Structure formats: C-alpha cells, structure tokens
C-alpha cells in the first residue's frame, strides 16, 4: 500500500463517520482550501496525457469526472487539478432548488455503492454561469442540464432550452439529463414519441445557437440503465436521426435486485460497483446500433483499472467516475489514466 493510499484510507474512516452528504461537503471544502493555497503544489496531480480528439474536443486523457460531484462549479480549482482529462458540472436547472428531503444519500460500503435521491439540488444555472466566467480552465468542461421539479414534463424542453442558451458559449459540451430517477416523470422522456418531440425542439434551439455564436457545442444525452432493449434501439435511432454527438451510458439504476441486503428497500438511484455489468451491457448495445456516428461516454461502476478497461472493451470512447472516487480516492484517477493509451 502506497503512502497516499494509506492516508486516504485513514481519512475515509474518519470522514465516513459523518452522514454521506455532509461528508461530501466537508471533503470538498477541505480540498478547495488546500487547492486555493500554496499547499496545492504538494497535492496537485500531474495529468497523464494521451490526447484524444472526440466530438472535436481535445481531451488530455479519456477519464472524466461525472456530473453530480460538483453541481454548481464551486470546486473547479480542485477537480481540474487531480488528473482528469475533463470534468462535467451539474446537473443545473433554470431556477435554484433544494431537491428532495434529507436524508437522501446512503452509503453501501460493503458494495462500494451509493444510493441517492437528491433530486437535482443546485443553485441554478445563473450561479454556475458566473462561476464559469471567473475561472481559468485547465481541462474541457461539460455542463449537465435538467428541468426544475416544478416544471411539467410537457414543458420540460423549455427548461433545457433556457439552460442551453445561458451556458452555450461556456460549455465544451452540453449533457441533457433525461435519466435521473429522482425527478418525477423525467424518465418518460425516454419513450420514443416523447423523445422525438423533445429532441426536435432541442435540436432546433441548438442549431439556432450554433448559427448565432458561430460555434458548435456538442450535444450529449444521458441514458438510464433501466431502459428496455426495444426502447434502447429506438433511442439510438433518434440519436442518429437528430445528429446527437454523444451519449453517456449510464445514469443510476432503480433496480436493486443486484443487492443482497436490506438496502434494496432504500428509494433512489444506485451507483457504484454493482452497476458495472448493467452499464456495460447498455454500452455494448448502443455501440452496436450507433457505431462511430455517436460517441459513447461510459460511466457506472468504475472502481479499478480493470473495470475501466471493460467499458472501453464494450465500445466506450471516454470514461467518467464518481462513486469510485468516494471509495478509492484520487489514486484511482492515476491508476486508470496510467493504464490507458
């Protein structure tokens, strides 16, 4: 065990005494203070470079930070300096919202997993926009957008259009999060008729923004791992019909059959190690249908270099982690990026 791994394991034992959401906030507060001081020179990780040009974006390496870790862009200085090839902020909504009642995050340490029902808690797109205007970029930044819980599903596209317009010139790519299980009826947008109508409106808005700003910002959809195969095939067809640039596979799952304990009864989306195989299956099916026409960002269950490689073997072009970082620390970033070329 390396010295850094030892210190992380000690820190984890201490910080895990706190409730998960509080532990997350405290950890990021400490990290932000360190990376805003001279101590940054001792902790900053050198980014392992193996440049990839995907969606016309130059990624220093293929590993990124998934959305949800830093919803509001409060910790960009930290997350941009620990070895990632890109980071994704959000999910943000047009208006600030508190999200679902607490407690809403639950650790399953024995499974290296987390269940959350956060519900798009964030400070609103204007807050994130101001943060992005004030930072110096180190790596590409994706922005993950969603709808406010008070917005009816039939009008969801208006929230996505609003957010897209606000951050269009500040994002390297934009992710449409239509797959969180914690916003009521959101996953209805996966159905063929709803998705067709939704993408028709979104794509028209996107085309108008491209024309206005003389800049193409790639559009990416985040898909649910719980989508059935028939709907997934239709989903892939619509991705190509509307020339969507990429898909993130996958979000969290509400299927807890892969767990073998009382955690099955906790409401929310499951992430982490138990999601790996299910996510990989979705990646394989998507790749079979879209080939190279739509780029695939693989996420869900990456806790080691072996699980990262398994996603690449299934056809993923890029990777993202979140829950693995909680259980393995920043050493996981180096472990993965040093084994991928």
């Amino acid at each position: 065990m390396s010295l850094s791994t030892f210190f992380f394991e000690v820190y984890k034992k201490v910080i895990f005494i706190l409730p998960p959401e509080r532990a997350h906030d405290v950890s990021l507060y400490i990290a932000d203070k360190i990376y805003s001081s001279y101590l940054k020179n001792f902790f900053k990780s050198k980014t392992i470079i193996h440049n990839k040009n995907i969606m016309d974006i130059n990624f220093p390496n293929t590993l990124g930070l998934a959305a949800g870790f830093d919803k509001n862009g409060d910790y960009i200085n930290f997350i941009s300096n620990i070895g990632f090839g890109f980071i994704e902020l959000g999910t943000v909504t047009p208006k600030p919202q508190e999200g679902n009642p607490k407690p809403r995050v639950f650790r399953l340490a024995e499974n290296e997993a987390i269940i959350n029902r956060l519900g798009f808690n964030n400070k609103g797109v204007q807050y994130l926009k101001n943060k992005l205007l004030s930072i110096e970029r180190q790596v590409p930044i994706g922005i993950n957008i969603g709808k406010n819980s008070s917005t009816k599903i039939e009008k969801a596209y208006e929230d996505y259009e609003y957010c897209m317009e606000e951050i269009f010139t500040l994002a390297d790519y934009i992710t449409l999060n239509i797959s969180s299980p914690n916003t009521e009826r959101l996953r209805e947008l996966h159905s063929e008729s709803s998705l067709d109508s939704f993408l028709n409106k979104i794509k028209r808005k996107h085309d108008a923004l491209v024309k206005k700003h003389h800049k193409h910002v790639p559009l990416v959809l985040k898909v649910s791992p719980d989508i059935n195969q028939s709907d997934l095939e239709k989903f892939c067809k619509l991705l190509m019909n509307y020339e969507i640039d990429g898909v993130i596979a996958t979000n969290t799952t509400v299927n807890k059959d892969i767990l073998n304990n009382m955690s099955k009864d906790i409401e929310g989306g499951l992430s982490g190690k138990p999601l790996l195989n299910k996510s990989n299956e979705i990646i394989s099916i998507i790749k079979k249908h879209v080939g190279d026409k739509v780029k695939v960002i693989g996420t869900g269950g990456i806790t080691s270099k072996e699980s990262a490689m398994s996603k690449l073997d299934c056809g993923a072009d890029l990777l993202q982690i979140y829950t693995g970082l909680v259980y393995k620390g920043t050493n996981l970033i180096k472990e993965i990026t040093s084994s991928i070329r």
Side-chain angles (χ1 to χ4, degrees):
M1 181 184 292
S2 68
L3 189 60
S4 58
T5 301
F6 171 77
F7 280 122
F8 174 74
E9 290 300 322
V10 171
Y11 176 77
K12 188 168 72 171
K13 286 181 180 179
V14 174
I15 202 68
F16 273 25
I17 295 171
L18 296 175
E21 195 169 351
R22 179 63 178 158
H24 179 80
D25 293 341
V26 169
S27 295
L28 286 179
Y29 176 82
I30 293 171
D32 182 63
K33 291 300 180 184
I34 290 173
Y35 278 76
S36 298
S37 71
Y38 74 93
L39 292 173
K40 174 181 178 179
N41 298 320
F42 298 98
F43 287 90
K44 180 179 178 180
S45 299
K46 184 178 179 181
T47 301
I48 294 175
I49 304 295
H50 48 90
N51 289 305
K52 298 284 183 181
N53 190 281
I54 295 170
M55 301 185 295
D56 288 327
I57 302 169
N58 183 41
F59 295 94
N61 62 57
T62 56
L63 182 65
L65 177 65
F69 194 89
D70 183 5
K71 292 176 182 286
N72 304 298
D74 286 322
Y75 307 104
I76 297 174
N77 188 41
F78 163 56
I79 60 177
S80 296
N81 286 285
I82 52 177
F84 284 117
F86 65 106
I87 58 175
E88 187 169 320
L89 306 175
T91 301
V92 289
T93 54
K95 296 178 289 187
Q97 60 181 30
E98 292 295 323
N100 294 322
K102 297 179 181 180
R104 53 194 183 181
V105 183
F106 307 87
R107 288 191 208 97
L108 284 61
E110 69 276 15
N111 299 108
E112 292 184 10
I114 290 173
I115 294 174
N116 93 81
R117 51 172 181 262
L118 287 162
F120 289 170
N121 58 309
N122 73 102
K123 298 175 182 177
V125 70
Q126 291 297 332
Y127 181 93
L128 176 58
K129 182 178 179 179
N130 291 333
K131 282 288 183 180
L132 290 168
L133 288 168
S134 67
I135 57 103
E136 183 178 337
R137 291 170 185 256
Q138 306 294 327
V139 294
I141 297 176
I143 309 297
N144 186 303
I145 60 176
K147 82 172 192 73
N148 281 113
S149 58
S150 59
T151 303
K152 292 183 178 180
I153 195 67
E154 294 79 12
K155 295 289 186 179
Y157 71 91
E158 294 180 354
D159 282 11
Y160 290 89
E161 286 180 342
Y162 178 82
C163 289
M164 190 162 57
E165 182 158 16
E166 290 301 308
I167 50 85
F168 191 82
T169 61
L170 298 169
D172 288 289
Y173 68 87
I174 297 171
T175 299
L176 309 171
N177 189 348
I178 61 168
S179 53
S180 170
N182 303 314
T183 295
E184 188 178 3
R185 297 186 65 190
L186 185 67
R187 287 188 171 184
E188 290 181 19
L189 293 177
H190 278 64
S191 69
E192 184 179 14
S193 59
S194 295
L195 186 59
D196 192 7
S197 175
F198 175 77
L199 287 180
N200 183 278
K201 295 179 178 72
I202 293 295
K203 189 62 178 175
R204 278 188 292 173
K205 181 66 173 181
H206 182 261
D207 290 346
L209 289 169
V210 169
K211 185 176 180 180
K212 177 182 177 181
H213 297 288
H214 308 287
K215 173 185 180 182
H216 179 83
V217 178
L219 269 184
V220 175
L221 253 66
K222 191 164 189 175
V223 67
S224 164
D226 302 320
I227 187 171
N228 64 53
Q229 186 159 336
S230 174
D231 285 341
L232 183 56
E233 291 174 6
K234 296 168 186 174
F235 182 95
C236 291
K237 183 178 179 180
L238 288 170
L239 289 178
M240 291 186 288
N241 285 351
Y242 285 103
E243 298 182 331
I244 301 301
D245 299 278
V247 57
I248 297 178
T250 63
N251 213 315
T252 58
T253 179
V254 295
N255 186 340
K256 315 253 184 4
D257 291 344
I258 43 184
L259 301 177
N260 56 8
N261 51 39
M262 295 298 289
S263 303
K264 287 182 179 181
D265 299 324
I266 301 175
E267 183 183 348
L270 173 69
S271 63
K273 195 172 184 178
L275 185 57
L276 180 66
N277 291 337
K278 192 169 190 178
S279 174
N280 285 1
E281 182 180 353
I282 297 291
I283 292 170
S284 296
I285 295 171
I286 290 174
K287 199 65 180 178
K288 175 185 174 183
H289 288 286
V290 303
D292 291 327
K293 294 178 181 177
V294 180
K295 298 305 179 184
V296 179
I297 302 175
T299 186
I302 298 176
T303 56
S304 64
K305 63 182 179 183
E306 289 81 13
S307 50
M309 291 300 299
S310 74
K311 289 201 183 297
L312 296 175
D313 291 342
C314 289
D317 301 285
L318 295 168
L319 304 171
Q320 287 181 333
I321 60 172
Y322 179 167
T323 303
L325 197 61
V326 173
Y327 286 103
K328 299 296 180 68
T330 56
N331 285 334
L332 179 60
I333 302 168
K334 185 177 181 180
E335 177 189 332
I336 293 171
T337 56
S338 62
S339 14
I340 299 172
R341 289 291 181 268

